[in-house]
Amino acid sequence: MVSPPARYLVLFQYLGSRYSGVMETSNDQSVIGVQNYLEKAAQNLKPIVPIKFHISSRTDTGVHALCNSAHLDIQRPPGKPAFNEKQLICSLNYHLRPEPIRILNAYRVTNSFHARFSALSRTYIYRVLMGCAHHSEVPVFEKDLCWAPVGGQLNVPAMREAAQFLLGTHDFSTFRSLNAETPFHSPVRTIFQVDIQPTSGFMSHHYEQRGLEFWELKFRSRSFLYRQVRRMVGALVAVGQGKLTPHHIKELLERKDSRAFPPSAMAPPSGLFLKSVEYNEAGR
């Protein structure tokens, strides 16, 4: 008798620089998605039915994840017990070598759990490096892991003032890029948190004399629109550079028009990290 499939929530991280994004792509592309590698690794578990990862949060080419999440169902042959969490983590990580993708944790969940729709919120951070007059001054250890806007220091108090306009529930039409799914998604989102805080770089204490400063911009919401975080970061950095005033952020929100966004202001993908996806522990 075939046992019913077991559903798991898995938490995983990856360096996004070498992938087309997290979502599955055609395998004949030169650069494919993180999901392709996850599902290829999972087939080594020898399930009866091919394993599909249902990913909670989409990330684009070049965007990283400290912790993304997905659920998957595993149906084993008759007589084979369900994997325990440790077995699943070790096996998937073994077969993911040598990709910069790692399974961090796994939880057995109910069959009604959905990684995307059960999420309470998502938190992104964006790493900005100040003090570089040219991109060649970015430390080699930070390549593709931060954004160094040219022009020296940023006016952080002005950026923090501008960030307050983003908090709460708004129509974020101006702060989304258009794609094929745009007509099917409401532009209204609620931003729970925006923080701008100093942080450290990788081994930055060894080159303190260079006067480089790392900052993190943190955003938390139940969900975000397509490229919304990169647009919000770009606009806040433009405020820090004096190209926009804090009040311009309010005006951009009120325009409710993607075409009103300054065309050169979107932040690049390299500094963006999905930090976490939050769930109700009892709901798992």
Side-chain angles (χ1 to χ4, degrees), residues 217-268:
L217 288 76
K218 179 191 288 186
F219 303 86
R220 185 168 65 88
S221 173
R222 179 158 189 178
S223 62
F224 293 89
L225 298 167
Y226 181 51
R227 294 182 176 171
Q228 180 184 348
V229 176
R230 288 171 57 192
R231 283 192 171 213
M232 291 190 296
V233 169
L236 292 176
V237 166
V239 169
Q241 294 171 323
K243 297 176 180 177
L244 298 175
T245 67
H247 205 264
H248 275 132
I249 302 300
K250 184 173 185 291
E251 293 176 1
L252 286 171
L253 278 170
E254 291 171 348
R255 291 287 296 274
K256 302 176 184 177
D257 183 354
S258 180
R259 295 166 297 182
F261 189 80
S264 60
M266 185 164 69

Side-chain angles (χ1 to χ4, degrees), residues 133-149:
H134 188 266
H135 67 82
S136 63
E137 297 179 9
V138 176
V140 67
F141 308 107
E142 294 286 351
K143 183 180 183 297
D144 297 328
L145 299 176
C146 64
W147 176 29

Side-chain angles (χ1 to χ4, degrees), residues 262-280:
S264 60
M266 185 164 69
S270 54
L272 183 57
F273 294 73
L274 173 59
K275 179 182 183 294
S276 57
V277 184
E278 293 80 34
Y279 297 96
N280 181 337

Side-chain angles (χ1 to χ4, degrees), residues 117-165:
F117 300 119
S118 299
L120 299 177
S121 65
R122 294 158 173 86
T123 302
Y124 283 86
I125 59 171
Y126 195 100
R127 300 179 70 241
V128 172
L129 173 58
M130 300 185 199
C132 293
H134 188 266
H135 67 82
S136 63
E137 297 179 9
V138 176
V140 67
F141 308 107
E142 294 286 351
K143 183 180 183 297
D144 297 328
L145 299 176
C146 64
W147 176 29
V150 175
Q153 299 301 310
L154 301 174
N155 184 341
V156 174
M159 293 170 66
R160 286 175 170 156
E161 180 185 346
Q164 297 306 302
F165 291 113

